[in-house]
Amino acid sequence: MTSSLDLEPKPAVIHIVRTRGDRIFRGILIVGGLISFLVLAGIFGYLAQSAAPILKAFGFQFFTDSSWYVGDGLLPSEGSMDPPIFGILPMLWGSVLIAIISVGIALPLGVGIALSIVYLIPKRAVFGLTVFIDLIAAIPSIIFGLWGFFVLIPHGVLWSAWLNEKLAFIPIFNVEFPAFEQSPFMAGLVLAIMITPIVAVVSRQIFSLVPPELINAAQALGGSRWTIIRDVVLPFSKGGIVGGAMLGIGRALGETVAVFFVLQLFFDEVNWYRILESSGGSVASLIIAKFGEASPLEVSALFAAGLALFVVTLLANAAAAVLVNSSKGKK
Amino acid sequence: MTITSTLKSRKPWDAKDKKYQLQQLLVHVGTPILAVLVVAKTGIRGGSGLFFTWLGLHLVTGALLAKFGRRKYSIANSTIEILLAASLIVFITAAMSVLAPVFTKGTAAFSSNLLFQDASTTEPGAELITGGILHAIIGTTIIVLLASVISIPIGILAALYVTEVRGRLTPYVRFFVQAMSGVPSIVAGLFVYAALIVSGVLNFSGLSGAIALSILMLPTVARTAEEVLLLVPDDLRSAALALGATQRKVIRMVVLPSAGAGLVTSSILGIARVTGETAPLLLTAFGSTQINTNPFTDPMAALPIYIFTQMLLGTDNDVARAWFACMVLMMMVGLLFGTARLLVNRRNLK
């Protein structure tokens, strides 16, 4: 009885003998693959090393204080008579606030654009529109800075005044004094236009992965465009859309020069929610604003700020990568 | 004898329903016209006023069409369609308002000396007929070329690792490349400043700028190259291996040639991504007013730095020069981008 089992074919095992050249070649590829890890580790290491003097002196207070006082540029331990006080809470919260505003605008806009590309506009126009969106995504951020300063702010001041006049009973539209020029709202608007293409491109990728049989079935059951979007497309692509938004947040947190021109930095107090007021914060913008004439200790503080920025954006991007990938894998 | 039916089908599957098309035309063309008239009569101000008037009116007329038109569907459906159209309009308007001034103000500031002189003798606020941006164009070109030389080979190697070696580390490599693509540009600048300039390895120079840019460029190249390499059919690899090729030969003689145009595209996209970066260059290349063709020693100018410093000077003439530089920069990016697009299309046609 068992003899028939013995006759069953067994898969042959192939031993690959790699030549020496091949092994060297694979080694080179591995190094190439690991460079991104080395660079990330290097960034963290060097920033942490350069930020160490400040982080040792101020500890965690560096992230919870509200001050940018240079003093005489010496630490108390070095016998300073007029010690500096650095605390970047207004900048950290400012970065988060403008990121929230920009994603709050860019998320509906980007998803709307992606949905129109897939379900609304004629097929012939799709190509042109996708090229246009890619092109907008490629516009250098400095150009957005000029646009924000010269084109957006004159209009945005009118919108802000209107919002403040009609909706001041909502706390976020309240201001302490009516100067609207370089507010978190403006920075949020500039960033919103910059990250809308990102949200749109990611959402569109995810939408195109919705199995057509699901959509056909929904149509056959009498679903309209709206019910199909609500009950089939959006539930399927939730994760991917959130991932696209996280990518946008990462970009918004790290954006430097575009924000620099449209946001008034204010170091002494946190602007928690008055988005129309000309006082806000941005870690990236802080670095560029102070770097030029910074004393050695101040440079160390800027490195600490950069380290915080690096860690926060890394977390946002890691979360985005996990969400988008799992959403793509669902297919 | 034929039976003639008195019941006529409405043919819901027939797109060429004349009456329905007429109703649609009336609503979707009529409403914007109506909105313009309303705005003209009532004195609602500005483009945003027009937009919201149109949106409100169209939501109402769209709902009416859905409810009482020849083909009935839910009001929610008409609402979502109009909101989708509105999102497109908002984005396209905003995007055009970004692009338009670059070219109108850029051409307005044009005079030929801007392209052929540097800024070494230009005082802040000087007339537009003196000085130029040649130094910045040369600087940007050198820095970006150097950055490409550094990051394109490494990026393609990283992509090859993911698609060809497929070892245990593959998911991690992919993850780290993705994480690296999120490194803020200013952080890349800070890193190069700390690691190379403070420590005295390099000065403020074109090379430092190029290294900072290559950190930003590497993930773009690696990710797009990976997508391209994944398009190469596995059958080709298997066939080559079966013929006795070593893996190195498979990659060199089969994979890379068949992915060639795509790899060029991914490189160009990487270049386009970093050409306009400002923040890292301010911390590394630092900027200069003179032509400097040596990337190893002195600070080097670049278009984005030039625009930034002109903006800080702030007089009308300086800002006009900044807009002109913006136009040149945008044309460079657009050219790279267009080339990449053309190559993609040609590959798809093949």
Side-chain angles (χ1 to χ4, degrees), chain B residues 61-146:
Chain B
T61 53
L64 289 176
L65 178 69
K67 195 87 183 140
F68 302 109
R70 192 169 152 78
R71 286 185 194 171
K72 301 190 173 36
Y73 45 89
S74 75
I75 290 178
N77 197 38
S78 91
T79 306
I80 196 73
E81 286 180 10
I82 291 159
L83 287 180
L84 290 185
S87 70
L88 268 186
I89 290 172
V90 168
F91 177 70
I92 292 177
T93 315
M96 290 313 289
S97 84
V98 179
L99 286 177
V102 171
F103 291 98
T104 54
K105 297 194 184 190
T107 44
F110 178 78
S111 80
S112 62
N113 57 293
L114 279 176
L115 275 179
F116 299 114
Q117 292 179 14
D118 66 10
S120 53
T121 57
T122 319
E123 299 286 321
E127 291 298 319
L128 290 174
I129 47 166
T130 62
I133 62 168
L134 183 64
H135 61 304
I137 297 176
I138 292 175
T140 285
T141 312
I142 292 175
I143 293 174
V144 168
L145 280 181
L146 265 178

Side-chain angles (χ1 to χ4, degrees), chain A residues 22 26 134 147 225-226, chain B residues 77 81 97 247-248 341:
Chain A
D22 230 19
R26 282 173 75 94
D134 286 349
W147 171 75
R225 233 173 225 161
W226 162 235
Chain B
N77 197 38
E81 286 180 10
S97 84
Q247 194 171 26
R248 183 168 52 111
R341 267 283 166 187

